């Protein structure tokens, strides 16, 4: 009993402080970007910030609960939690509500819930559980397939529900697998896929073919006579060629026009200024307005609640996915880079704490938490800054959204709970 | 490697993001400029336009609120069209077409649905309009004329045109600018300075409130009130006298150059160019090609001055010592001149003529003779003609008067170059240009130039640039209106001329125009004039012209009157001049009979003659 209470105070206060700072800062920016009248009433549930405030209060309950629950509970019930999440995601096909084209919401009496957000917690727990099992060996392909199943099952379901953005986040768990000893070849394959796809879209299949042949020839002569293998080279060539063809086909025939446009803008493919101008008014409207808002912030910003573009609602969805543009406009370069540094501190802190865990489960879980938060951070801010393609996912802790806030709180505080128990495991 | 890959990637991404932020927020942006921010609507606030008072502080022009019904098509909801239409006094068609038209422009930005409600309608509507979503009433300022006279003097205001905007970047589309008259020449004072309000927009371009609670707003500066030199009573009387006649009256105060009255006839009621009927009325006024009410005839009508010009011809001859006040010639009732023995008729009745009775009886022969003496005095025709020309020009003729009225005409006073161009291979001389002697020929003047000339004669040798401004909110007026301009004639000759001009009233052409108790000096004129009808030069009835100043000893008014095609100068123009002088000096009229005659005179048939396409007689 005594040790339990002690543990409670051994939680990592840095993470907690960063967390509190981010959600408060998020709420402040949500107020600024969604306010319509003069009076701010946090308890007005008709407003977005009022709702967010309620979700923050609920988060506190989640924090208390997740910190009081016994550590063993998480380890033991992680598979159950995973399965429950899968069931909820599956249930969407029957009872789900379609919002903005994605079938990812349950809604009852005005409250909407997005199970895919909680799925991240489920997957993180399941991955930690499975890999930390002493029977599991990631070098074995059998186990590799199993772990891939754990990760790709939710991805498949969520893609089928037309929520590609959320599904991409799960790919971040590759960092975990890599950390836990999965073969280097996957890293290599991932790298090849990414380069080949970009090269294909940017140039053409033939250039990919040409380039890979040159690389392979160079490689052939570079290697020792013994390790030279024509078959291996041929396989690599076939592999990259098929990737190239698949990419080409997907880009031209499967992707929808808006998705294609996002990519073509990201890769600077569109050169026609008239078409670019027209795109800025249509599909690029959000990105364009968000960049303008951020640019107009300057060094120190226009000041809180003074952002003209924020107040004018120039950036649609600013309270949710584009919240960072409000930060950029009102808090300027200083405020927004401070925010980025906070995220980096948060993620690095989680990683380093994970590395200190004696318990494998805790370490892998922590690593998963860091990967998921990082993926969100990278895709979201990258999108708002126009560095990565437009993929609509929230910025953890800052963006408006109940499910997202609750899920990330749960995700983080389970780790904080696990970490607090580190000393007990001596 | 396995442990450090992820932290390295996290770190690199952080650096990339901060670099990108640096690029967006610091490197690529210039300083934030509120005028460049398209999220802020810059709304101009328009100051009160300055009022216009007459010389006796009678308010002539002020402002009135006007109310427009505005529409935001998007917000319009189902409504009872019959009730709504009867409320606004519009037809259902108007409602539908206007709704479509405004929606086409923008469904979110307010447009004018119905302009210029009357005050009564506004009072009634302001309570009911709330019921109709998407409609509201907007106030704007219009000019209000507290008078029906002086339209040509006051001018009017209208929306700026493209040229105005190009010439002066103060103006934006939809702004109001003074056109014509005082509204135009004193636009800069009257308009004040626009203020700016910064309004926060949302992305649909809707206003959502003041930016920073209006702390950055720039307040407008109200326009200055003007006092003009016009005596509105005299102006009104002049317009009354000129009813149904085409022409102009210009009355000046000789000592100051102030314009007491500037009547252009026919004029129009300035209220016609305000409010809902404005454009319709404007087109009607604009289209009236016979009377041209929008043209200020006092400033723009050029015509041969006729006999009043003899004043200058006489003064010039006296100055050049071609004659003295004792020189005499004998008039046979006509004057024969040149190798072809051309003949100039004279209506003075014949007899011995000196400067006094030549002026008072307007003897053509006398002035033809002294003109020849002046021009042909030595053998250098060009030199003496230029001298003559310069004397005339020193009275402000043949050039712009540099006054503060927005329009004007130079008129024509020829010099030797002028005739060299006309007669390149011909030795021209006094006889070639003899019509100039009696104010015909090539000489053209405007009514205000004649008035100005009369003022110079009244002042015995100088005039002040005529002007309409008396003061601007207490500021003193431009120095050019306070600096006397000397004529080239010595003042002693004016004494002679004054005697002659007084004789006009005493016993000459103006003897029927005498005003009890006031000594008037004046000169009548009957000017031949021609127009082209179907490319044929056709003579019309003579213009009736009269110039005068009074009282003789200390002139307080100098006046020129032009009544187009009215015939003999001392009849109509002379009567009007006398009535105006009496009105101004005595404030009441004793010449009741004359007054009645003048007011009832209608020259419509005369003006229609050239347009009927039938042969007509003149000077009937």
């Amino acid at each position: 009993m005594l040790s339990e209470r002690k543990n409670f105070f051994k939680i990592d206060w840095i993470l907690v402080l960063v967390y509190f700072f981010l959600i408060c800062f998020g709420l402040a920016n949500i107020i600024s970007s969604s306010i319509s009248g003069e009076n701010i009433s946090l308890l007005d549930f008709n407003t977005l910030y009022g709702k967010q405030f309620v979700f923050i209060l609920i988060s506190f309950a989640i924090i208390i609960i997740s910190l009081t629950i016994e550590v063993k509970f998480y380890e033991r019930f992680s598979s159950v939690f995973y399965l429950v999440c899968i069931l909820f995601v599956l249930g969407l096909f029957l009872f789900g509500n379609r919002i903005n084209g994605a079938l990812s919401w349950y809604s009852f009496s005005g409250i909407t819930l997005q199970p895919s957000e909680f799925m991240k917690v489920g997957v993180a727990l399941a991955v930690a559980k499975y890999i930390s099992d002493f029977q599991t060996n990631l070098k074995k392909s059998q186990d590799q397939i199993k772990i891939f199943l754990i990760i790709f099952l939710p991805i498949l379901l969520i893609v089928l529900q037309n929520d590609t953005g959320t599904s991409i986040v799960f790919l971040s768990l590759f960092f975990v697998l890599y950390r836990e000893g999965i073969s280097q070849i996957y890293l290599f394959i991932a790298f090849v896929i990414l380069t080949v796809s970009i090269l294909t879209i940017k140039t053409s299949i033939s250039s990919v073919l040409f380039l890979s042949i040159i690389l392979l020839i160079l490689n052939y002569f570079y290697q020792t006579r013994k390790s030279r293998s024509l078959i291996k080279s041929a396989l690599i060539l076939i592999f990259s060629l098929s990737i190239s063809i698949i990419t080409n086909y997907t880009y031209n025939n499967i992707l929808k026009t808006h998705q294609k446009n996002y990519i073509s803008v990201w890769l600077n493919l569109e050169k026609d200024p008239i078409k670019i101008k027209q795109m800025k008014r249509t599909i690029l409207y959000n990105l364009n307005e968000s960049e303008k808002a951020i640019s107009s912030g300057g060094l120190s910003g226009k000041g809180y609640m003074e952002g003209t573009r924020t107040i004018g609602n120039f950036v649609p969805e600013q309270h949710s996915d584009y919240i960072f543009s409000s930060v950029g406009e009102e808090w300027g370069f200083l405020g927004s880079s401070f925010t980025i540094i906070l995220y980096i501190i948060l993620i690095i802190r989680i990683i380093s704490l994970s590395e200190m865990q004696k318990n494998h489960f805790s370490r892998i879980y922590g690593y998963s938490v860091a990967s998921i938060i990082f993926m969100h951070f990278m895709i979201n801010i990258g999108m708002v800054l126009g560095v990565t393609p437009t993929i609509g996912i929230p910025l953890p802790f800052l963006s408006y959204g109940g499910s997202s806030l609750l899920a990330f709180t749960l995700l983080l505080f389970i780790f904080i709970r696990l970490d607090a128990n580190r000393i007990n495991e001596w | 490697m396995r442990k450090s890959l992820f932290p390295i990637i996290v770190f690199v991404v952080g650096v990339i993001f901060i670099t990108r932020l640096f690029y967006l927020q610091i490197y690529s942006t210039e300083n934030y400029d509120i005028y460049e921010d398209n999220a802020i609507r810059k709304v101009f606030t328009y100051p009160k336009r300055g009022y216009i008072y007459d010389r006796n502080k009678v308010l002539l022009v002020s402002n009135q609120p006007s109310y427009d019904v505005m529409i935001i098509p998007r917000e319009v909801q189902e409504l009872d069209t019959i009730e709504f239409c009867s409320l606004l006094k519009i037809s259902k068609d108007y409602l539908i077409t206007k709704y479509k038209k405004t929606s086409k422009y923008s469904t979110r930005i307010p447009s004018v649905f119905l302009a210029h409600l009357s005050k009564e309608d506004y009072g009634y509507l302001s309570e009911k309009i709330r019921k109709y979503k998407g409609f509201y009433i907007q106030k704007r300022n219009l000019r209000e004329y507290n008078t029906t006279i002086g339209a040509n003097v006051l001018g009017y205001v209208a929306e700026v045109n493209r040229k105005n905007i190009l010439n002066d970047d103060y103006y934006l589309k939809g702004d109001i600018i003074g056109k014509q008259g005082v509204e135009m020449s004193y636009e800069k004072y009257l308009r004040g300075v626009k203020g700016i309000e910064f309004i926060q927009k949302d992305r649909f371009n809707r206003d959502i409130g003041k930016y920073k609670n209006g702390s950055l707003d720039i307040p407008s500066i109200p326009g200055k009130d003007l006092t003009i030199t016009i005596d509105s009573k005299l102006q009104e009387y002049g317009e009354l006298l000129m009813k149904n006649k085409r022409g102009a009256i210009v009355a000046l105060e000789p000592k100051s150059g102030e314009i007491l009255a500037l009547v252009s006839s026919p004029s129009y009621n300035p209220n016609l160019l305000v409010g809902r009927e404005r454009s319709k009325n404007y087109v009607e006024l604009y289209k009236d090609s016979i009377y041209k009410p929008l043209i200020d005839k006092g400033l723009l009508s050029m015509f041969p001055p006729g006999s009043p010009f003899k004043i200058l011809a006489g003064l010039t001859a006296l100055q050049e010592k071609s004659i003295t006040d004792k020189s005499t010639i004998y008039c046979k009732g006509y004057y024969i001149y040149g190798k072809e023995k051309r003949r100039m008729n004279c209506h003075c009745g014949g007899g011995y003529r000196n400067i006094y009775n030549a002026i008072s009886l307007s003897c053509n022969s006398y002035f033809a003779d002294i003109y020849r003496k002046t021009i042909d005095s030595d053998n250098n025709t060009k030199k003496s003609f230029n001298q003559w020309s310069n004397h005339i020009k020193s009275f402000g003729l043949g050039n712009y008067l540099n006054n503060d009225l927005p329009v004007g005409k130079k008129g024509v006073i020829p010099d030797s170059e002028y005739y060299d161009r006309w007669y390149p291979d011909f030795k021209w001389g006094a006889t070639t240009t003899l019509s100039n002697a009696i104010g015909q020929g090539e000489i053209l003047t405007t009514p205000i130039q004649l008035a100005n000339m009369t003022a110079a004669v009244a002042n015995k040798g100088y005039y002040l640039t005529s002007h309409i401004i008396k003061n601007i909110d207490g500021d003193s007026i431009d120095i050019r209106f306070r600096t006397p301009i000397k004529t080239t004639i010595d003042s002693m000759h004016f004494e002679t001329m004054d005697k002659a001009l007084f004789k006009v009233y005493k016993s000459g052409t103006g003897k029927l125009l005498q005003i009890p108790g006031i000594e008037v000096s004046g000169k009548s004129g009957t000017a031949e004039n021609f127009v082209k009808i179907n490319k044929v030069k056709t003579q019309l009835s003579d213009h009736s012209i009269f110039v005068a100043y009074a009282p003789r000893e200390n002139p307080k008014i100098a006046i020129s009157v032009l009544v187009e095609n009215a015939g003999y100068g001392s009849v109509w123009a002379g009567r009007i001049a006398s009535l105006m002088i009496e009105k101004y000096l005595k404030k009441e009229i004793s010449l009741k009979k004359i007054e009645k005659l003048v007011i009832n005179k209608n020259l419509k048939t005369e003006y229609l003659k050239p347009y009927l396409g039938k042969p007509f007689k003149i000077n009937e």
Side-chain angles (χ1 to χ4, degrees):
Chain A
M1 218 20 224
L2 198 73
S3 70
E4 276 296 310
R5 193 178 296 162
K6 262 186 184 167
N7 282 345
F8 188 80
F9 293 103
K10 280 187 194 123
I11 59 175
D12 189 72
W13 286 104
I14 295 180
L15 289 184
V16 175
L17 278 178
V18 172
Y19 167 82
F20 273 106
F21 182 83
L22 286 176
I23 57 166
C24 292
F25 191 53
L27 181 64
N29 284 298
I30 290 165
I31 291 175
S32 172
S33 58
S34 68
I35 190 168
S36 49
E38 277 96 62
N39 304 321
I40 301 169
S41 158
L42 282 179
L43 296 171
D44 182 357
F45 305 136
N46 291 322
T47 63
L48 291 171
Y49 56 84
K51 283 185 189 164
Q52 183 76 358
F53 186 66
V54 173
F55 284 123
I56 288 176
L57 295 180
I58 298 174
S59 302
F60 291 167
I62 287 185
I63 291 169
I64 309 269
I65 293 166
S66 56
L67 287 181
T68 43
I69 286 175
E70 188 62 32
V71 171
K72 288 291 165 203
F73 172 86
Y74 295 114
E75 218 174 324
R76 203 159 298 147
F77 286 92
S78 51
S79 350
V80 178
F81 192 83
Y82 176 78
L83 287 174
V84 170
C85 287
I86 291 282
L87 281 178
F88 269 102
V89 172
L90 270 174
L92 284 173
F93 289 109
L94 296 175
F95 311 107
N97 263 36
R98 204 174 276 278
I99 297 178
N100 289 336
L103 182 68
S104 18
W105 307 84
Y106 286 114
S107 82
F108 23 81
S109 58
I111 303 163
T112 55
L113 211 74
Q114 195 180 3
S116 54
E117 293 292 334
F118 295 94
M119 190 73 240
K120 292 165 197 165
V121 186
V123 172
L125 284 170
V127 165
K129 168 82 174 173
Y130 184 74
I131 299 176
S132 65
D133 193 318
F134 64 94
Q135 286 181 344
T136 307
N137 182 358
L138 279 182
K139 298 270 191 289
K140 286 200 291 184
S141 49
Q142 231 181 338
D143 289 354
Q144 281 174 9
I145 290 168
K146 279 182 191 161
I147 193 79
F148 286 156
L149 268 179
I150 292 174
I151 296 172
F152 279 96
L153 180 61
I155 291 184
L156 182 74
L157 294 178
I158 293 169
V159 167
L160 285 177
Q161 286 158 6
N162 203 13
D163 190 3
T164 328
T166 307
S167 67
I168 288 174
V169 172
F170 293 95
L171 292 177
S172 65
L173 291 168
F174 179 78
F175 287 119
V176 181
L177 302 186
Y178 179 74
R179 165 68 183 81
E180 295 303 324
I182 204 166
S183 167
Q184 296 259 22
I185 192 88
Y186 291 103
L187 187 68
F188 179 69
I189 289 173
F191 178 75
V192 169
I193 290 178
L194 203 64
T195 339
V196 168
S197 324
I198 291 175
L199 209 65
T200 309
I201 296 171
K202 185 104 186 160
T203 58
S204 65
I205 300 176
S206 42
S207 71
V208 172
L209 184 67
F210 181 68
L211 204 69
S212 16
I213 289 172
I214 288 178
L215 282 173
L216 285 173
I217 291 170
L218 286 175
N219 187 49
Y220 185 80
F221 289 112
Y222 182 74
Q223 279 178 338
T224 53
R225 195 171 290 270
K226 220 171 126 190
S227 61
R228 272 181 199 169
S229 153
L230 264 176
I231 297 170
K232 202 172 147 192
S233 303
L235 276 177
I236 292 172
L237 188 67
I238 290 166
F239 175 70
S240 45
L241 198 64
S242 45
I243 291 291
S244 181
I245 289 165
I246 290 169
T247 312
N248 196 47
Y249 182 79
T250 315
Y251 183 73
N252 288 324
N253 303 338
I254 296 181
L255 286 190
K256 288 166 189 129
T257 322
H258 72 274
Q259 291 168 325
K260 250 168 88 170
N261 283 332
Y262 287 138
I263 292 171
S264 79
V265 168
W266 177 53
L267 293 178
N268 252 335
L269 293 181
E270 192 57 68
K271 296 287 180 219
D272 182 1
I274 297 166
K275 227 174 161 192
I276 291 177
K277 215 174 167 186
Q278 191 220 335
M279 277 157 94
K280 276 188 176 167
R281 269 185 277 122
T282 52
I283 61 142
L284 290 183
Y285 180 80
N286 248 27
L287 175 61
N288 191 38
E289 286 299 330
S290 125
E291 277 189 28
K292 266 204 235 167
I294 292 171
S295 284
S296 72
L299 177 66
S300 51
K302 293 178 192 163
Y304 181 53
M305 303 276 254
E306 305 279 357
T308 51
R309 286 161 187 285
T310 298
I311 299 167
N313 276 328
F314 273 69
V315 188
E317 296 298 315
Q318 196 177 28
H319 54 279
S320 58
D321 292 353
Y322 283 86
I323 191 76
F324 193 72
S325 66
S326 165
V327 177
E329 186 187 19
E330 300 194 339
W331 305 88
F333 176 69
L334 298 178
S336 37
S337 25
F338 177 69
T339 311
I340 285 174
I341 290 167
L342 269 188
Y343 273 103
I344 304 294
I345 289 174
L346 180 79
I347 294 161
I348 299 280
R349 179 75 185 164
I350 296 172
I351 296 171
S352 62
L353 283 177
S354 304
E355 294 291 356
M356 283 153 67
Q357 301 301 318
K358 295 289 173 286
N359 182 332
H360 283 205
F361 177 80
S362 305
R363 183 184 73 210
I364 298 163
Y365 179 77
Y367 227 82
S368 308
V369 172
S371 327
I372 291 169
I373 292 178
F374 171 69
M375 198 67 165
H376 270 269
F377 163 77
M378 184 180 76
I379 291 179
N380 181 284
I381 295 189
M383 160 183 83
V384 174
L385 295 180
V387 182
T388 57
T390 304
I391 297 169
I393 55 171
L395 185 59
F397 312 119
L398 242 64
S399 284
Y400 168 80
S403 305
S404 157
L405 178 65
L406 299 183
F408 275 112
T409 306
L410 186 61
L411 189 73
L412 180 66
F413 277 86
I414 289 177
F415 175 69
I416 292 175
R417 176 70 189 100
L418 295 177
D419 171 64
N421 203 48
R422 180 172 22 127
I423 295 104
N424 278 12
E425 303 195 347
W426 284 100
Chain B
M1 176 65 186
R2 282 183 186 265
K3 274 188 189 178
S4 51
L5 178 73
F6 186 33
I8 288 171
I9 289 178
V10 172
F11 188 72
V12 168
V13 166
V15 170
I16 290 173
F17 284 174
I18 290 176
T19 317
R20 174 73 178 162
L21 276 173
F22 181 84
Y23 172 78
L24 282 178
Q25 299 187 305
I26 296 177
Y27 178 75
S28 73
T29 56
E30 283 139 36
N31 284 334
Y32 173 71
D33 181 357
I34 193 165
Y35 292 94
E36 295 288 312
D37 191 339
N38 59 10
I40 305 284
R41 194 197 301 285
K42 273 63 73 175
V43 178
F44 292 98
T45 52
Y46 290 89
K48 167 212 133 190
R49 196 171 171 90
Y51 287 5
I52 302 177
Y53 297 90
D54 89 338
R55 66 188 294 116
N56 301 317
K57 280 286 166 193
V58 176
L59 180 61
L60 298 177
V61 187
S62 56
N63 300 317
Q64 58 178 326
S66 155
Y67 302 92
D68 294 348
V69 178
M70 307 294 287
I71 182 175
I72 304 172
R74 207 176 114 91
E75 292 174 11
V76 174
Q77 291 171 0
E78 270 186 40
L79 49 89
D80 181 346
T81 47
I82 297 173
E83 193 191 29
F84 185 70
C85 289
S86 68
L87 198 62
L88 290 179
K89 296 173 188 150
I90 53 171
S91 66
K92 200 178 163 191
D93 284 344
Y94 181 90
L95 172 71
I96 293 165
T97 49
K98 200 77 187 173
Y99 176 76
K100 280 189 186 150
K101 219 170 149 188
T102 49
S103 311
K104 215 169 162 189
Y105 171 63
S106 166
T107 54
R108 290 192 169 97
I109 301 173
S111 313
V112 177
F113 178 76
L114 185 67
H116 306 310
L117 292 177
S118 68
K119 278 178 206 162
E120 301 77 53
D121 282 352
Y122 167 70
Y124 183 60
L125 260 174
S126 59
E127 308 210 338
K128 305 249 169 170
I129 199 85
R130 251 170 272 160
K131 225 169 84 183
Y132 303 98
K133 294 267 175 302
F135 292 94
Y136 67 94
I137 295 180
Q138 191 179 57
K139 188 185 154 185
R140 59 156 87 210
N141 267 325
L142 283 185
R143 271 317 216 190
E144 175 160 45
Y145 295 93
N146 306 304
T147 175
T148 56
I149 51 124
N152 60 313
V153 177
L154 301 170
Y156 57 91
V157 294
E159 263 186 38
V160 288
N161 56 30
R162 240 174 62 92
K163 216 173 121 196
N164 299 139
I165 299 173
L166 284 178
N167 289 344
D168 188 341
D169 52 16
Y170 175 87
Y171 296 103
L172 295 168
K173 199 168 174 289
D175 280 5
I176 295 298
I177 192 171
K179 307 230 166 171
Q180 294 197 1
V182 173
E183 296 274 19
M184 184 170 172
S185 29
Y186 288 95
E187 164 72 9
K188 285 219 165 74
Y189 297 94
L190 288 169
R191 75 183 179 197
V193 181
K194 279 187 279 195
I196 300 174
E197 263 175 26
F198 297 103
I199 306 281
Q200 174 71 51
K201 291 193 293 188
D202 70 4
R203 71 195 149 99
F204 300 117
N205 243 348
R206 288 177 301 203
D207 296 348
I208 51 172
K210 285 194 155 197
Y211 176 59
K212 291 199 176 180
N213 285 323
S215 58
L216 296 176
D217 293 357
I218 301 164
S220 60
I221 302 170
K224 290 189 168 176
D225 294 344
L226 297 187
T227 306
I228 57 173
T229 58
I230 294 292
D231 181 326
S232 55
K233 286 241 170 65
L234 187 65
Q235 175 82 18
E236 189 178 3
Y237 189 62
E239 289 188 16
L240 175 71
L241 295 179
M242 289 298 285
K243 218 172 72 180
N244 296 320
K245 298 158 205 79
R246 210 162 60 184
I249 305 172
V250 183
L252 302 176
E253 187 178 76
K255 289 280 172 299
S256 59
E258 290 175 359
I259 299 170
L260 300 172
L262 180 62
V263 177
S264 169
S265 180
S267 189
Y268 59 94
N269 184 339
N271 289 295
L272 288 178
L273 294 188
V274 181
R276 216 193 271 199
E277 302 288 304
R278 183 188 184 282
S279 43
K280 196 185 112 209
N281 291 335
Y282 183 85
V283 171
E284 259 172 39
L285 292 172
Y286 185 79
K287 272 171 37 186
D288 184 348
S289 58
I290 297 181
Y291 287 107
K292 298 192 177 83
L294 290 172
I295 305 287
D296 192 326
K297 297 171 189 68
L299 307 174
L300 294 175
S301 281
M302 290 205 295
F303 54 92
S307 302
F309 191 76
K310 289 170 182 164
I311 302 172
L312 299 192
L315 286 169
T316 308
L318 287 167
Q319 179 71 20
E320 291 297 318
K321 298 195 169 60
S322 315
I323 55 161
T324 67
D325 62 338
K326 301 202 172 56
S327 314
T328 309
I329 67 142
Y330 184 75
C331 172
K332 293 171 281 194
Y334 54 85
Y335 188 75
I336 302 293
Y337 63 100
K339 282 173 192 153
E340 301 89 6
K341 302 275 177 228
R342 280 187 289 167
R343 177 187 167 108
M344 179 190 275
N345 286 326
C346 180
H347 311 285
C348 73
Y352 287 99
R353 296 286 171 248
N354 59 19
I355 184 81
Y356 301 110
N357 59 15
I359 284 278
S360 71
L361 297 172
S362 201
C363 174
N364 285 349
S365 310
Y366 181 84
F367 285 96
D369 189 63
I370 68 168
Y371 180 73
R372 291 182 67 178
K373 281 180 181 150
T374 316
I375 305 298
D376 294 339
S377 59
D378 50 21
N379 283 329
N380 194 339
T381 312
K382 275 183 195 173
K383 187 175 154 238
S384 33
F385 188 78
N386 281 341
Q387 252 166 7
W388 179 86
S389 176
N390 285 337
H391 286 307
I392 306 295
K393 283 177 182 163
S394 76
F395 286 82
L397 269 51
N399 211 336
Y400 297 115
L401 285 171
N402 193 22
N403 57 22
D404 56 351
L405 291 156
V407 290
K409 281 273 169 71
K410 271 173 125 168
V412 179
I413 299 297
D415 54 12
S416 63
E417 265 178 52
Y418 182 95
Y419 286 112
D420 285 345
R421 246 178 290 132
W422 266 60
Y423 305 108
D425 325 307
F426 180 71
K427 194 181 169 297
W428 56 271
T431 49
T432 331
T433 61
L434 197 68
S435 308
N436 290 339
I438 55 168
Q440 296 278 169
E442 280 68 53
I443 291 171
L444 293 175
T445 58
T446 63
I448 194 167
Q449 285 178 329
L450 281 191
N452 193 57
M453 173 203 95
T454 313
V457 177
N459 286 339
K460 308 219 158 36
Y462 71 91
Y463 67 92
L464 285 109
T465 302
S466 55
H467 55 275
I468 194 92
I469 191 73
K470 193 149 173 74
N471 74 56
I472 304 169
D473 240 357
D475 287 1
S476 61
I477 55 170
D478 199 306
I479 183 83
R480 74 175 199 268
F481 302 137
R482 291 181 279 138
T483 320
I485 297 170
K486 288 200 73 117
T487 63
T488 52
I489 311 291
D490 296 338
S491 61
M492 51 180 275
H493 301 307
F494 288 99
E495 301 290 349
T496 312
M497 189 50 70
D498 180 53
K499 272 183 217 158
L501 293 172
F502 179 58
K503 206 172 158 70
V504 171
Y505 259 81
K506 206 80 192 141
S507 58
T509 51
K511 65 179 177 232
L512 297 174
L513 306 171
Q514 288 176 26
I515 308 165
I518 301 173
E519 292 196 330
V520 186
S521 304
K523 179 77 196 81
S524 64
T526 311
E528 290 181 353
N529 63 99
F530 303 85
V531 288
K532 275 191 175 154
I533 301 175
N534 299 327
K535 290 176 187 165
V536 181
K537 188 178 172 187
T538 314
Q539 183 166 14
L540 299 181
S541 297
D542 297 339
H543 287 335
S544 174
I545 298 166
F546 205 89
V547 300
Y549 57 88
R552 217 185 131 201
E553 286 311 310
N554 179 23
K556 289 206 166 62
I557 180 170
I559 192 167
S560 79
V561 180
L562 161 72
V563 186
E564 289 183 34
N565 311 115
Y568 197 53
S570 53
V571 176
W572 295 110
R575 285 170 182 168
I576 291 170
S578 281
L579 288 168
M580 288 292 280
I581 289 170
E582 185 172 33
K583 177 77 181 174
Y584 182 65
L585 295 178
K586 283 166 61 176
K587 312 285 174 215
E588 55 186 31
I589 297 300
S590 59
L591 310 171
K592 290 281 182 199
K593 245 185 180 167
I594 294 183
E595 183 186 44
K596 203 178 160 200
L597 274 173
V598 169
I599 292 173
N600 289 333
K601 178 71 176 172
N602 189 335
L603 286 165
K604 192 178 170 194
T605 49
E606 198 64 52
Y607 299 134
L608 285 178
K609 278 178 186 172
Y611 297 93
L612 296 175
K614 288 182 227 157
F616 55 86
K617 285 185 181 165
I618 57 165
N619 296 333
E620 289 167 292

